[in-house]
Amino acid sequence: MCGIFCITTKIKKDAPARVLEGLKGLEYRGYDSWGIATLSPDSDSTLIDKETGRLTDVETDLVGDVAIGHTRWATHGGVTKENAHPHTSCDGTIAVVHNGIIDNFQELKEKLLEEGHEFKSETDSEVIPHLLENHDFMTVFNMLSGLNAVIALNKNTKEIWAAKTGSPLVVGFGEDENYLASDASALLPLTKRVYFLHDSEAVRITADSVTLFDLETGNKKEIQTTTLEGDVSDAALIGYDHYLIKEVSEQPSVIRAIIQDGREDIERLARVIKRSYGTFFVGCGTAANAGLAGVYMFSRIARRHVNLATGSEFKYLIDFVTRGSLVIALSQSGETIDTIESVKAAKKNGATIASIVNVPQSTLFRLADTRMLLRAGPEKCVLATKSYMAKLSIMYLLAHELIGEYEKANEFLQEVALEVEDFISGARHEQVKALADKLSDKEDLYLIGRGPSFADALEGALKIKEVTYIHAEGFAGGELKHGSIALIEEGTPVVVFAPYDETYDGIISNAMEVKARGAYVIGISPKNHDVFDEHIKVKDIMHASNLVNIVPMQLLSYYMALNRGCDPDKPRNLAKSVTVR
Ligand code: AGP
């Protein structure tokens, strides 16, 4: 979760200000509080600037040629200035930023307290600078259990050290300066030459050197850098007020990017699927919802059974994963810890791992035997939208490739891209905006769908919940009568996904059932029906209906969020990459 960033430079004394800029590019990882530390020849200790709240419009007076910084998503200890990073040693000479959770921090802290160290925060992270008072960096990092990434700045040695296990960390190489960041995208404005730290590696960096170490042996290792792809402008707002609406609007181009150059990857993945005995999609949140849509697509299109497991639950299902099994990890960031741990457990059982991720060189990308990129470009908004669309497009093509109908499906996706484009840029966009005005002060919203549209109901509900804070729930239409219909009252809004397929009659009956109990029924369907109080027309695109059905819900979430004064890009309590268990 938290974002960490560091610059050490020979060029100018503006490292703290530049670290703040770098942190702004990582803020989607956490935005409860922020902080930076630097060194100055005029001071005996590190200089710290930190505060609660977001980084927007924040400036710093600190100057120095080295700085480390942090943007926090609180785990241990509330959102206070004291709990904001960096944390320091007793005498303030060592400053540390940390991403992750130190599982054994209580034990370490008790010992440090006994030794007389004074703690200023409630965080687990603060044990690190205190331990560094008596031990070298690698020894300290090896004392920590859990999944962690740490950067330490030491006034006494003038060194910066960093290491990781589990949580991501990337080294960037510049001219007369070097960098560290928890995400490669934050380095793009500075350099394209990077090294992705592996687990159990440590690095010592100065403005003109980067030295890599093996944490277990303490030995030096050779560094092989890679070149980042992409452009800074890909991640800029250009003309949009928020990333949410920008990224929703980019969806037609995302589908087209997959149409244009996804074939080779999809053929390779399909070959692996054909060879496997038992395929599992694993993902969290929106990625899990995409997996559910994939389960239906594989069944309907390719007559093939695929299992779905949510990342956080998969470890309890791992016993029957064996050498013949295939686990396909779905993830935008490639850094979601529950998905990573699932993959690692499956790997241990001998399974083959495939990953479909958006971020090149991310942990899930690197852990996989076969991999495919989503080609969605940087997704900055905490809400996953275009990455969902990319996953759906890929699974649609994969299912068709399995039955030798790739070409046909690829051609059909052109039509889907046009429909998505038309929806976003045409009159229906305005219709959804007006609907948002009607729904914004509701307390509850329910969504129902059958078959593949069950995934739409879950994903639509997730979008509403995370950005409007309205209680929203998605149900399989047929399940309502088994209890949840008790929730429907006069005026309760219910979104009904009714593609014109084998689920149509069933879901219309369910719509009638809720209507009879007073629901305000919003139908997302190619056909209008008397039961709908509001009809949002989507084109009949058969087995690809998931791809168009979700667009009205994404737009609705955006406009409802605006009406309710919620930040569309950085909803409360959330972070884009969930890198803690
Ligand atoms: C989606 O809108 C969420 N922010 C969240 O559910 C997300 O999809 C989930 O955390 C998985 O992330 P990943 O795709 O990066 O693995």
Coordinates of all heavy atoms in Angstrom, one line a residue, residues 470-543:
I470 N -22.3 4.8 -0.9 CA -23.7 4.3 -0.7 C -23.7 2.8 -0.6 O -22.9 2.2 -1.3 CB -24.5 4.8 -1.9 CG1 -24.7 6.3 -1.9 CG2 -25.9 4.1 -2.0 CD1 -25.5 6.8 -3.1
H471 N -24.5 2.3 0.2 CA -24.6 0.8 0.3 C -25.1 0.3 -1.0 O -26.3 0.6 -1.4 CB -25.5 0.4 1.5 CG -25.9 -1.0 1.5 ND1 -27.2 -1.4 1.5 CD2 -25.1 -2.1 1.4 CE1 -27.2 -2.8 1.4 NE2 -25.9 -3.2 1.4
A472 N -24.3 -0.6 -1.7 CA -24.8 -1.2 -2.9 C -24.4 -2.6 -2.9 O -23.4 -3.0 -2.4 CB -24.1 -0.5 -4.1
E473 N -25.4 -3.5 -3.4 CA -25.1 -4.9 -3.4 C -25.5 -5.5 -4.7 O -26.6 -5.2 -5.2 CB -25.9 -5.6 -2.3 CG -25.1 -5.7 -1.0 CD -25.9 -6.5 0.0 OE1 -25.8 -7.8 0.0 OE2 -26.6 -6.0 0.9
G474 N -24.7 -6.4 -5.2 CA -25.1 -7.1 -6.4 C -25.5 -8.5 -6.1 O -24.9 -9.2 -5.2
F475 N -26.5 -9.0 -6.8 CA -27.1 -10.3 -6.5 C -27.2 -11.1 -7.8 O -27.5 -10.5 -8.9 CB -28.4 -10.3 -5.8 CG -28.4 -9.7 -4.5 CD1 -29.0 -8.4 -4.3 CD2 -27.9 -10.3 -3.4 CE1 -29.0 -7.8 -3.1 CE2 -27.9 -9.7 -2.1 CZ -28.5 -8.5 -2.0
A476 N -27.2 -12.4 -7.7 CA -27.7 -13.2 -8.8 C -29.2 -13.1 -8.8 O -29.8 -13.3 -7.7 CB -27.2 -14.7 -8.6
G477 N -29.8 -12.8 -9.9 CA -31.3 -12.4 -9.9 C -32.1 -13.5 -9.2 O -33.0 -13.2 -8.4
G478 N -31.8 -14.8 -9.5 CA -32.6 -15.9 -9.0 C -32.4 -16.1 -7.4 O -33.3 -16.7 -6.8
E479 N -31.4 -15.5 -6.9 CA -31.2 -15.6 -5.5 C -32.0 -14.7 -4.6 O -32.1 -14.9 -3.4 CB -29.7 -15.4 -5.2 CG -28.8 -16.5 -5.4 CD -29.1 -17.7 -4.5 OE1 -28.9 -17.6 -3.3 OE2 -29.5 -18.7 -5.1
L480 N -32.5 -13.7 -5.2 CA -33.2 -12.6 -4.4 C -34.3 -13.2 -3.5 O -34.4 -12.9 -2.3 CB -33.9 -11.7 -5.3 CG -33.1 -10.5 -5.8 CD1 -34.0 -9.5 -6.5 CD2 -32.4 -9.8 -4.7
K481 N -35.1 -14.1 -4.1 CA -36.2 -14.7 -3.3 C -35.8 -15.5 -2.1 O -36.6 -15.8 -1.2 CB -37.1 -15.6 -4.1 CG -37.4 -15.2 -5.5 CD -38.4 -16.1 -6.1 CE -37.8 -16.9 -7.3 NZ -37.0 -16.1 -8.2
H482 N -34.5 -15.8 -2.1 CA -34.0 -16.7 -1.0 C -33.6 -15.8 0.2 O -32.9 -16.3 1.1 CB -32.8 -17.5 -1.5 CG -33.3 -18.4 -2.6 ND1 -34.0 -19.6 -2.3 CD2 -33.1 -18.4 -3.9 CE1 -34.3 -20.2 -3.5 NE2 -33.7 -19.5 -4.5
G483 N -34.0 -14.6 0.3 CA -33.8 -13.8 1.5 C -33.6 -12.3 1.2 O -34.3 -11.5 1.8
S484 N -32.8 -11.9 0.2 CA -32.5 -10.5 0.0 C -33.6 -9.6 -0.4 O -33.6 -8.4 -0.2 CB -31.3 -10.4 -1.0 OG -30.3 -11.3 -0.6
I485 N -34.6 -10.2 -1.0 CA -35.8 -9.4 -1.5 C -36.4 -8.7 -0.3 O -37.1 -7.7 -0.5 CB -36.8 -10.3 -2.3 CG1 -37.6 -9.4 -3.2 CG2 -37.6 -11.2 -1.4 CD1 -38.3 -10.1 -4.3
A486 N -36.2 -9.2 0.9 CA -36.7 -8.5 2.1 C -36.2 -7.1 2.2 O -36.8 -6.3 2.9 CB -36.3 -9.3 3.4
L487 N -35.1 -6.8 1.5 CA -34.5 -5.4 1.6 C -35.3 -4.4 0.8 O -35.1 -3.2 0.9 CB -33.1 -5.5 1.2 CG -32.1 -6.3 2.0 CD1 -30.8 -6.6 1.2 CD2 -31.9 -5.7 3.3
I488 N -36.1 -4.9 -0.2 CA -36.7 -3.9 -1.1 C -37.9 -3.2 -0.5 O -38.7 -3.8 0.1 CB -37.2 -4.7 -2.4 CG1 -36.1 -5.5 -3.0 CG2 -37.8 -3.7 -3.4 CD1 -34.9 -4.8 -3.5
E489 N -37.8 -1.9 -0.6 CA -38.9 -1.1 -0.1 C -39.4 -0.1 -1.2 O -38.9 -0.1 -2.2 CB -38.4 -0.2 1.1 CG -37.9 -0.9 2.3 CD -37.3 0.0 3.3 OE1 -37.0 1.2 3.0 OE2 -37.0 -0.5 4.4
E490 N -40.4 0.6 -0.9 CA -40.9 1.6 -1.8 C -39.8 2.6 -2.3 O -39.1 3.2 -1.4 CB -42.1 2.4 -1.1 CG -43.0 3.2 -2.0 CD -43.7 2.4 -3.1 OE1 -44.1 1.2 -2.7 OE2 -43.7 2.8 -4.3
G491 N -39.5 2.6 -3.5 CA -38.5 3.5 -4.1 C -37.1 3.0 -4.1 O -36.2 3.7 -4.5
T492 N -36.9 1.8 -3.6 CA -35.5 1.3 -3.6 C -35.0 1.1 -5.0 O -35.7 0.4 -5.8 CB -35.4 -0.1 -2.9 OG1 -36.0 0.0 -1.6 CG2 -34.0 -0.6 -2.8
P493 N -33.9 1.7 -5.4 CA -33.4 1.6 -6.8 C -32.8 0.2 -7.0 O -32.0 -0.3 -6.2 CB -32.4 2.7 -7.0 CG -32.1 3.1 -5.6 CD -33.1 2.7 -4.6
V494 N -33.2 -0.5 -8.1 CA -32.6 -1.8 -8.4 C -32.2 -1.7 -9.9 O -33.0 -1.4 -10.8 CB -33.7 -2.9 -8.2 CG1 -33.0 -4.3 -8.7 CG2 -34.1 -3.0 -6.8
V495 N -31.0 -1.9 -10.1 CA -30.4 -2.0 -11.5 C -30.6 -3.4 -12.0 O -30.1 -4.4 -11.3 CB -29.0 -1.5 -11.6 CG1 -28.4 -1.7 -13.0 CG2 -28.9 -0.1 -11.1
V496 N -31.2 -3.6 -13.2 CA -31.4 -4.9 -13.7 C -30.6 -5.1 -15.0 O -30.9 -4.3 -15.9 CB -32.9 -5.2 -14.0 CG1 -33.2 -6.5 -14.6 CG2 -33.7 -5.0 -12.7
F497 N -29.7 -6.0 -15.0 CA -29.0 -6.3 -16.3 C -29.7 -7.3 -17.1 O -29.9 -8.5 -16.6 CB -27.5 -6.8 -16.0 CG -26.7 -5.7 -15.3 CD1 -26.6 -5.7 -13.9 CD2 -26.1 -4.7 -16.0 CE1 -25.8 -4.8 -13.3 CE2 -25.3 -3.8 -15.4 CZ -25.2 -3.8 -14.0
A498 N -30.2 -6.9 -18.2 CA -31.1 -7.8 -19.0 C -30.6 -7.9 -20.5 O -31.3 -7.4 -21.4 CB -32.5 -7.4 -18.9
P499 N -29.5 -8.5 -20.7 CA -29.0 -8.7 -22.1 C -30.0 -9.7 -22.8 O -30.7 -10.5 -22.1 CB -27.7 -9.4 -22.0 CG -27.6 -9.9 -20.6 CD -28.5 -9.1 -19.7
Y500 N -30.1 -9.5 -24.1 CA -31.1 -10.3 -24.7 C -30.6 -11.7 -25.0 O -30.2 -12.1 -26.1 CB -31.6 -9.6 -26.0 CG -32.9 -10.2 -26.5 CD1 -34.0 -10.2 -25.6 CD2 -33.1 -10.6 -27.8 CE1 -35.2 -10.7 -26.0 CE2 -34.4 -11.1 -28.2 CZ -35.4 -11.1 -27.2 OH -36.6 -11.7 -27.6
D501 N -30.5 -12.5 -24.0 CA -29.9 -13.9 -24.1 C -30.7 -14.8 -23.3 O -31.9 -14.5 -22.9 CB -28.4 -13.9 -23.7 CG -28.2 -13.5 -22.3 OD1 -29.2 -13.4 -21.5 OD2 -27.0 -13.3 -21.9
E502 N -30.2 -16.0 -23.0 CA -31.0 -17.0 -22.3 C -31.4 -16.6 -20.8 O -32.1 -17.2 -20.2 CB -30.3 -18.4 -22.2 CG -29.1 -18.5 -21.3 CD -27.8 -18.0 -21.8 OE1 -27.7 -17.2 -22.7 OE2 -26.7 -18.5 -21.3
T503 N -30.7 -15.5 -20.4 CA -31.1 -15.0 -19.0 C -32.2 -14.0 -19.0 O -32.7 -13.6 -17.9 CB -29.8 -14.3 -18.4 OG1 -29.6 -13.1 -19.0 CG2 -28.6 -15.2 -18.3
Y504 N -32.7 -13.6 -20.2 CA -33.6 -12.5 -20.3 C -34.9 -12.7 -19.5 O -35.3 -11.9 -18.7 CB -33.9 -12.2 -21.8 CG -34.7 -10.9 -22.0 CD1 -34.1 -9.6 -21.9 CD2 -36.1 -11.0 -22.2 CE1 -34.9 -8.5 -22.0 CE2 -36.9 -9.9 -22.4 CZ -36.3 -8.6 -22.3 OH -37.1 -7.5 -22.4
D505 N -35.6 -13.8 -19.9 CA -36.9 -14.0 -19.2 C -36.8 -14.1 -17.7 O -37.6 -13.6 -17.0 CB -37.5 -15.3 -19.8 CG -37.9 -15.1 -21.3 OD1 -38.0 -14.0 -21.7 OD2 -38.0 -16.2 -22.0
G506 N -35.8 -14.8 -17.3 CA -35.6 -15.0 -15.8 C -35.4 -13.7 -15.1 O -36.0 -13.4 -14.1
I507 N -34.5 -12.9 -15.7 CA -34.2 -11.6 -15.0 C -35.4 -10.6 -15.0 O -35.6 -9.9 -14.1 CB -32.8 -11.0 -15.5 CG1 -32.2 -10.1 -14.4 CG2 -33.0 -10.2 -16.8 CD1 -31.7 -10.7 -13.2
I508 N -36.1 -10.7 -16.1 CA -37.3 -9.9 -16.2 C -38.3 -10.3 -15.1 O -38.9 -9.4 -14.4 CB -38.0 -9.9 -17.6 CG1 -37.0 -9.2 -18.6 CG2 -39.3 -9.2 -17.6 CD1 -36.8 -7.7 -18.5
S509 N -38.4 -11.6 -14.9 CA -39.3 -12.0 -13.8 C -38.8 -11.5 -12.5 O -39.6 -11.0 -11.6 CB -39.3 -13.6 -13.7 OG -39.8 -14.1 -14.8
N510 N -37.5 -11.5 -12.3 CA -37.0 -11.0 -11.0 C -37.2 -9.5 -10.9 O -37.5 -9.0 -9.8 CB -35.5 -11.3 -10.9 CG -35.1 -12.8 -11.0 OD1 -34.1 -13.2 -11.6 ND2 -35.9 -13.6 -10.3
A511 N -37.1 -8.8 -12.0 CA -37.4 -7.4 -12.0 C -38.8 -7.1 -11.6 O -39.1 -6.2 -10.8 CB -37.1 -6.8 -13.4
M512 N -39.7 -8.0 -12.1 CA -41.2 -7.8 -11.8 C -41.4 -8.1 -10.3 O -42.2 -7.4 -9.6 CB -42.0 -8.8 -12.6 CG -42.1 -8.3 -14.0 SD -43.0 -9.5 -15.0 CE -43.2 -8.6 -16.5
E513 N -40.6 -9.0 -9.7 CA -40.8 -9.3 -8.3 C -40.4 -8.1 -7.4 O -41.0 -7.8 -6.5 CB -39.9 -10.6 -8.0 CG -40.4 -11.9 -8.5 CD -39.3 -12.9 -8.7 OE1 -38.2 -12.7 -8.2 OE2 -39.6 -13.9 -9.4
V514 N -39.3 -7.5 -7.8 CA -38.9 -6.3 -7.0 C -39.8 -5.1 -7.2 O -40.1 -4.4 -6.3 CB -37.4 -5.9 -7.2 CG1 -36.5 -7.0 -6.6 CG2 -37.0 -5.6 -8.6
K515 N -40.2 -5.0 -8.5 CA -41.2 -3.9 -8.8 C -42.4 -4.0 -8.0 O -43.0 -3.1 -7.4 CB -41.5 -4.0 -10.3 CG -42.5 -3.0 -10.8 CD -41.8 -1.9 -11.4 CE -42.8 -1.0 -12.1 NZ -42.2 0.2 -12.7
A516 N -42.9 -5.3 -7.8 CA -44.2 -5.5 -7.1 C -44.0 -5.1 -5.6 O -45.0 -4.9 -4.9 CB -44.5 -7.0 -7.2
R517 N -42.8 -5.0 -5.2 CA -42.5 -4.6 -3.8 C -42.0 -3.2 -3.7 O -41.4 -2.8 -2.7 CB -41.5 -5.6 -3.2 CG -42.1 -6.9 -2.8 CD -41.3 -8.1 -2.9 NE -42.1 -9.3 -2.7 CZ -42.6 -10.0 -3.7 NH1 -42.5 -9.7 -4.9 NH2 -43.3 -11.1 -3.4
G518 N -42.3 -2.4 -4.8 CA -42.0 -1.0 -4.7 C -40.7 -0.5 -5.3 O -40.4 0.7 -5.3
A519 N -39.9 -1.4 -5.8 CA -38.6 -1.0 -6.4 C -38.7 0.0 -7.5 O -39.7 -0.1 -8.3 CB -37.7 -2.2 -6.8
Y520 N -37.7 0.9 -7.6 CA -37.6 1.7 -8.8 C -36.6 1.0 -9.7 O -35.4 0.9 -9.4 CB -37.0 3.1 -8.4 CG -36.8 4.1 -9.6 CD1 -37.9 4.7 -10.1 CD2 -35.6 4.3 -10.1 CE1 -37.7 5.6 -11.2 CE2 -35.4 5.1 -11.2 CZ -36.5 5.8 -11.7 OH -36.3 6.7 -12.8
V521 N -37.1 0.5 -10.9 CA -36.3 -0.4 -11.7 C -35.6 0.3 -12.8 O -36.2 0.9 -13.7 CB -37.2 -1.6 -12.2 CG1 -36.4 -2.5 -13.1 CG2 -37.8 -2.4 -11.0
I522 N -34.3 0.1 -12.9 CA -33.5 0.7 -13.9 C -33.0 -0.5 -14.8 O -32.2 -1.3 -14.3 CB -32.3 1.5 -13.4 CG1 -32.8 2.6 -12.4 CG2 -31.4 2.0 -14.5 CD1 -31.9 2.8 -11.2
G523 N -33.4 -0.6 -16.0 CA -33.0 -1.7 -16.9 C -31.9 -1.4 -17.8 O -31.9 -0.4 -18.5
I524 N -30.8 -2.1 -17.7 CA -29.7 -2.0 -18.7 C -29.9 -3.1 -19.7 O -29.6 -4.3 -19.3 CB -28.3 -2.0 -18.0 CG1 -28.3 -0.8 -17.0 CG2 -27.2 -1.9 -19.0 CD1 -27.0 -0.7 -16.3
S525 N -30.3 -2.8 -20.9 CA -30.8 -3.9 -21.8 C -30.9 -3.4 -23.2 O -31.2 -2.2 -23.4 CB -32.2 -4.4 -21.3 OG -32.7 -5.3 -22.1
P526 N -30.8 -4.3 -24.2 CA -31.0 -3.9 -25.6 C -32.5 -3.5 -25.8 O -32.8 -2.8 -26.7 CB -30.6 -5.1 -26.4 CG -29.8 -6.0 -25.5 CD -30.3 -5.7 -24.1
K527 N -33.4 -4.1 -25.0 CA -34.8 -3.9 -25.2 C -35.5 -3.2 -24.1 O -35.2 -3.6 -22.9 CB -35.5 -5.3 -25.3 CG -35.2 -6.1 -26.6 CD -36.3 -6.9 -27.1 CE -36.9 -7.9 -26.0 NZ -37.9 -8.7 -26.6
N528 N -36.4 -2.3 -24.3 CA -37.1 -1.7 -23.3 C -38.2 -2.7 -22.8 O -38.5 -3.6 -23.5 CB -37.8 -0.4 -23.7 CG -38.2 0.5 -22.5 OD1 -38.0 0.1 -21.4 ND2 -38.7 1.7 -22.8
H529 N -38.7 -2.5 -21.6 CA -39.7 -3.4 -21.1 C -40.6 -2.6 -20.1 O -40.1 -1.7 -19.4 CB -39.1 -4.6 -20.3 CG -40.0 -5.7 -20.0 ND1 -41.0 -5.6 -19.0 CD2 -40.2 -6.9 -20.6 CE1 -41.7 -6.7 -19.0 NE2 -41.2 -7.5 -19.9
D530 N -41.9 -2.9 -20.0 CA -42.8 -2.2 -19.2 C -42.3 -2.1 -17.7 O -42.6 -1.2 -17.0 CB -44.2 -2.8 -19.2 CG -44.9 -2.6 -20.5 OD1 -44.4 -1.7 -21.2 OD2 -45.9 -3.3 -20.7
V531 N -41.6 -3.2 -17.3 CA -41.2 -3.2 -15.9 C -40.1 -2.2 -15.6 O -39.9 -1.8 -14.4 CB -40.6 -4.7 -15.6 CG1 -39.3 -4.9 -16.2 CG2 -40.6 -4.9 -14.1
F532 N -39.4 -1.6 -16.6 CA -38.4 -0.7 -16.3 C -39.0 0.7 -16.1 O -39.7 1.2 -16.9 CB -37.4 -0.6 -17.5 CG -36.7 -1.8 -17.9 CD1 -36.2 -2.0 -19.2 CD2 -36.4 -2.8 -16.9 CE1 -35.5 -3.2 -19.5 CE2 -35.7 -4.0 -17.2 CZ -35.3 -4.2 -18.6
D533 N -38.6 1.4 -15.0 CA -38.9 2.8 -14.8 C -38.0 3.6 -15.6 O -38.3 4.7 -16.0 CB -38.8 3.1 -13.3 CG -39.8 2.4 -12.5 OD1 -41.0 2.6 -12.6 OD2 -39.4 1.5 -11.7
E534 N -36.8 3.1 -15.8 CA -35.8 3.9 -16.6 C -35.1 2.8 -17.4 O -34.7 1.8 -16.9 CB -34.8 4.6 -15.7 CG -33.6 5.1 -16.3 CD -33.6 6.7 -16.4 OE1 -34.3 7.3 -15.5 OE2 -32.9 7.2 -17.2
H535 N -35.0 3.1 -18.7 CA -34.3 2.1 -19.6 C -33.0 2.7 -20.1 O -33.0 3.8 -20.8 CB -35.2 1.7 -20.8 CG -34.6 0.9 -21.8 ND1 -34.7 1.0 -23.1 CD2 -33.7 -0.2 -21.6 CE1 -34.0 0.1 -23.8 NE2 -33.4 -0.6 -22.9
I536 N -31.9 2.0 -19.9 CA -30.6 2.5 -20.5 C -30.3 1.4 -21.6 O -30.1 0.3 -21.3 CB -29.5 2.5 -19.4 CG1 -29.9 3.5 -18.3 CG2 -28.2 2.8 -20.1 CD1 -28.9 3.5 -17.2
K537 N -30.4 1.9 -22.8 CA -30.3 1.0 -23.9 C -28.8 0.7 -24.2 O -28.0 1.6 -24.3 CB -30.9 1.6 -25.2 CG -31.1 0.6 -26.3 CD -31.8 1.3 -27.5 CE -31.7 0.6 -28.8 NZ -32.4 -0.7 -28.8
V538 N -28.5 -0.6 -24.3 CA -27.1 -1.0 -24.7 C -27.3 -1.9 -25.9 O -28.4 -2.6 -26.0 CB -26.3 -1.7 -23.6 CG1 -25.8 -0.8 -22.6 CG2 -27.1 -2.8 -23.0
K539 N -26.4 -1.9 -26.8 CA -26.5 -2.7 -28.0 C -26.4 -4.2 -27.7 O -25.8 -4.6 -26.7 CB -25.3 -2.4 -28.9 CG -25.6 -2.8 -30.4 CD -24.5 -2.2 -31.2 CE -24.6 -2.7 -32.6 NZ -23.6 -2.2 -33.5
D540 N -27.2 -5.0 -28.4 CA -27.1 -6.5 -28.2 C -25.8 -7.0 -28.8 O -25.7 -7.1 -30.0 CB -28.3 -7.1 -28.9 CG -28.4 -8.6 -28.7 OD1 -27.6 -9.1 -27.9 OD2 -29.3 -9.3 -29.2
I541 N -24.9 -7.3 -27.9 CA -23.6 -7.8 -28.4 C -23.3 -9.2 -27.9 O -22.2 -9.6 -27.7 CB -22.4 -6.8 -28.2 CG1 -22.4 -6.4 -26.8 CG2 -22.5 -5.7 -29.2 CD1 -21.1 -5.7 -26.4
M542 N -24.4 -9.9 -27.6 CA -24.3 -11.4 -27.3 C -23.3 -11.7 -26.2 O -23.3 -11.1 -25.1 CB -24.1 -12.2 -28.6 CG -25.2 -11.9 -29.5 SD -25.0 -12.6 -31.1 CE -23.8 -11.6 -31.9
H543 N -22.4 -12.6 -26.5 CA -21.5 -13.1 -25.5 C -20.5 -12.0 -25.0 O -19.7 -12.3 -24.0 CB -20.6 -14.3 -26.0 CG -21.5 -15.5 -26.2 ND1 -22.7 -15.7 -25.7 CD2 -21.2 -16.6 -27.0 CE1 -23.2 -16.8 -26.1 NE2 -22.3 -17.4 -26.8

